[in-house]
Amino acid sequence: AAKRQGGNSFRFYDRGMHRASAERVALENDLRFAIERKELWVAYQPCVGGREGHVVSAEALLRWNHPTLGSVAPDRFIPIAEENGLIVELGEWIMRVACNECRRWHDMGRNGMCVSVNVSAVQFGQPRLIESVRRALDDAGLPAWGLQLEITESSLMKDAETAVAMLRAFKNMGVRLAIDDFGTGYSSLAYLKRFPVDVIKIDQSFVRGLCDDEEDAAIVRAIIVLARSMRLEVIAEGVESLSQVDVLRTDGCELFQGYFFGRPVEAERFRQVLSARSLSAAH
Ligand code: C2E
Ligand code: MG
Ligand code: MG
Ligand code: MG
């Protein structure tokens, strides 16, 4: 019976594999046309700071509304786009859209706002990124400090020497720089010192366990101390509860991003949120 079962499960596995790769091929094909078919859109999630809970910036997050599959998560299609190189085109597209949107926030009177855009390791490895960022800023009429680039710690460490040079080029341009998913990428502190960044974003996996896991709490505390002593801003990602906010504040973190303060929403909705709670507390 065991043998039979083994045979069945093998076949099942085989079919599952086939389905997975077929779906991948379909996604890859469909993604090529997603921009022109207007299936992609950008969601904005607030980053909130200070006692009053002002919205100080927003992260631009790519969304794909697939005609038959519905909403496809970035964790599913970004890796595909990175493998086939499409991420470069997608990345340039979201950069332009996000810069234009930030310009609108400035025009609404929220002229201290900054938009934060994720940059993949594949894009970051290409010198043409510098020119496309400059063009996106110019075309939008956005000052360089209105744009923040988020690069994950692991992307930076893939080729740390090149990363230092790229970061310097952006720093000279006046663009803000953030290390995303900090704490998961094994960066040496020696490199952290050489990366000319403005912000560290504490990975949400540590924030999740903050209130019930001693080790997560210790890691979060250590990152905050490190950031502050290096005069870097520190943002806690994935903040979902008031008790997490309390612990983070006690530890000295004053910038928050997470469902507790607002989910990623489409541009128009985000603008409504901005004008509605320009000076009021979060929620
Ligand atoms: P990320 O850059 O670390 O973005 C934060 C992710 O956490 C987002 O997931 C966001 O929706 C989610 N999040 C925010 N607050 C909370 C919370 O309180 N609880 C929980 N559970 N999750 C929260 P999303 O939008 O699904 O994006 C996933 C990842 O995909 C991003 O992680 C980023 O690495 C990548 N990504 C998204 N958009 C882009 C893009 O335009 N370009 C590139 N290269 N990567 C992108
Ligand atoms: Mg990010
Ligand atoms: Mg992150
Ligand atoms: Mg991430």
Side-chain angles (χ1 to χ4, degrees), residues 78 82 87 118-125 129 150-151 155:
I78 299 267
E82 286 177 329
I87 191 67
N118 293 286
V119 173
S120 121
V122 176
Q123 291 173 277
F124 202 66
L129 177 69
E150 295 192 7
I151 304 109
S155 301

Side-chain angles (χ1 to χ4, degrees), residues 45 59 61-63 74-75 78 87 94 118-120 150 180-181 204 237-240 258-259 264:
Q45 184 180 33
E59 179 169 6
L61 294 159
L62 202 49
R63 293 290 178 262
D75 288 333
I78 299 267
I87 191 67
I94 193 171
N118 293 286
V119 173
S120 121
E150 295 192 7
D180 203 356
D181 301 351
Q204 46 181 281
E237 282 195 275
V239 179
E240 294 185 354
Y259 294 167

Side-chain angles (χ1 to χ4, degrees), residues 72-139:
V72 183
D75 288 333
R76 264 172 82 201
F77 70 82
I78 299 267
I80 298 176
E82 286 177 329
E83 252 173 57
N84 67 13
L86 214 57
I87 191 67
V88 174
E89 193 187 331
L90 295 182
E92 285 182 3
W93 180 79
I94 193 171
M95 193 81 67
R96 303 182 74 81
V97 173
C99 286
N100 284 325
E101 190 57 32
C102 185
R103 179 61 217 231
R104 293 186 71 158
W105 304 334
H106 288 194
D107 292 344
M108 286 166 60
R110 301 299 303 258
N111 42 22
M113 285 280 295
C114 146
V115 74
S116 201
V117 176
N118 293 286
V119 173
S120 121
V122 176
Q123 291 173 277
F124 202 66
Q126 300 190 337
R128 83 178 245 189
L129 177 69
I130 297 173
E131 205 35 58
S132 76
V133 167
R134 201 191 311 272
R135 229 175 317 115
L137 288 168
D138 284 351
D139 292 352

